[in-house]
Amino acid sequence: MNVSHPPAAASRPSGTDAFINAEGSAGLHSARLYLCTDARRSRGDFEQFVDAAFAGGVDIIQLRDKSIEAAEELELLAILKEAAVRHGRLWAVNDRADIAVLSGAPVFHIGQKDLPLKAARTLLNGNAAIGLSSHSPEQVDAALAAAAGPAALDYFCVGPLWATPTKPGRAAVGLDLVTYAAAASAAQGQGESDGGVPWFAIGGIDHDNVEQVVEAGASRIVVVRAITEADDPAAAAASLLDALDAARP
């Protein structure tokens, strides 16, 4: 995987099954479009959906569904993994380190109140990149410090920028936090031009506001409904990538 950090990287096995998709051009540093999806039970099209999303240019797909049991999650992750392998992309597990280990996920994501980073790194034994949600300037600073520390955080997310039903009760942080993250990253030598830790803007991002997100300082985004609710997921993903390119300074 194209992730630069000290000790943990050296301990990671190269070319293992867990990292089958993590070594190529779709690594974290080149990833721009990250998708979170539920199990799509109401539509019954999970396999077709993730394949279409990858085909449209999504770099990472995370399965995030609190309503499913572990056995079903592992079954869906096997499907997600197959699609990721076909397209040479990444896939992620949310919250559950045991599921991440059993599925061999190359990416694992945690929230502020989930498993602590150090514990997650110990349980995963270096076999996955780890990302963290951040919702304030203090949490952004902590994420940047963690990226340079022994636990070696691999990426972080900033948001939610706008209120979203996927995170009920979570207050929107607005675009100012994106601007802060961009400035803080650059100040610590962690900016995009420095090859620093990747970070993604998240929360209510869609085709109508992605330009504002880029203008605020983000170059990578996480989306949910902009693709999961689209009639054509592949076209929606491609359109978002076009919008990211068009908004770049």
Side-chain angles (χ1 to χ4, degrees):
M1 177 178 286
N2 300 324
V3 176
S4 299
H5 54 61
S11 67
R12 294 177 179 173
S14 176
T16 63
D17 183 58
F19 271 81
I20 191 167
N21 283 324
E23 300 282 353
S25 61
L28 280 173
H29 278 276
S30 60
R32 294 184 297 154
L33 184 56
Y34 191 146
L35 168 65
C36 292
T37 181
D38 63 10
R40 296 183 69 85
R41 278 176 163 172
S42 62
R43 303 196 188 199
D45 65 348
F46 183 80
E47 182 173 3
Q48 296 83 356
F49 171 76
V50 296
D51 191 70
F54 279 134
V58 170
D59 297 298
I60 309 169
I61 297 180
Q62 178 191 128
L63 174 59
R64 185 175 69 196
D65 193 325
K66 303 291 187 179
S67 70
I68 59 177
E69 300 295 337
E72 182 180 0
E73 185 169 359
L74 286 168
E75 290 175 1
L76 291 171
L77 287 171
I79 293 170
L80 178 57
K81 175 181 178 178
E82 288 180 3
V85 170
R86 284 195 301 273
H87 293 277
R89 304 296 170 125
L90 292 169
W91 54 283
V93 167
N94 179 64
D95 189 21
R96 300 254 327 242
D98 56 339
I99 296 294
V101 171
L102 290 171
S103 64
V107 180
F108 178 58
H109 191 85
I110 52 178
Q112 289 290 325
K113 296 182 179 180
D114 294 331
L115 193 67
L117 174 60
K118 185 177 179 180
R121 183 65 76 197
T122 298
L123 287 173
L124 293 167
N125 196 29
N127 289 325
I130 300 178
L132 176 67
S133 297
S134 60
H135 316 295
S136 68
E138 294 77 16
Q139 291 176 2
V140 167
D141 291 343
L144 288 167
L153 184 70
D154 294 286
Y155 74 92
F156 64 96
C157 294
V158 173
L161 306 188
W162 289 276
T164 167
T166 62
K167 289 291 184 180
R170 175 80 68 187
V173 300
L175 292 169
D176 286 347
L177 190 59
V178 172
T179 302
Y180 181 88
S185 297
Q188 293 192 23
Q190 295 274 24
E192 185 173 358
S193 61
D194 307 302
V197 59
W199 60 274
F200 297 78
I202 185 173
I205 300 172
D206 57 27
H207 296 81
D208 294 329
N209 58 33
V210 64
E211 183 177 354
Q212 299 174 53
V213 178
V214 175
E215 288 176 351
S219 60
R220 303 174 176 89
I221 59 173
V222 181
V223 301
V224 183
R225 291 172 297 155
I227 295 178
T228 62
E229 295 183 1
D231 292 331
D232 186 337
S239 177
L240 282 167
L241 285 170
D242 286 344
L244 278 174
D245 286 337
R248 281 181 171 180

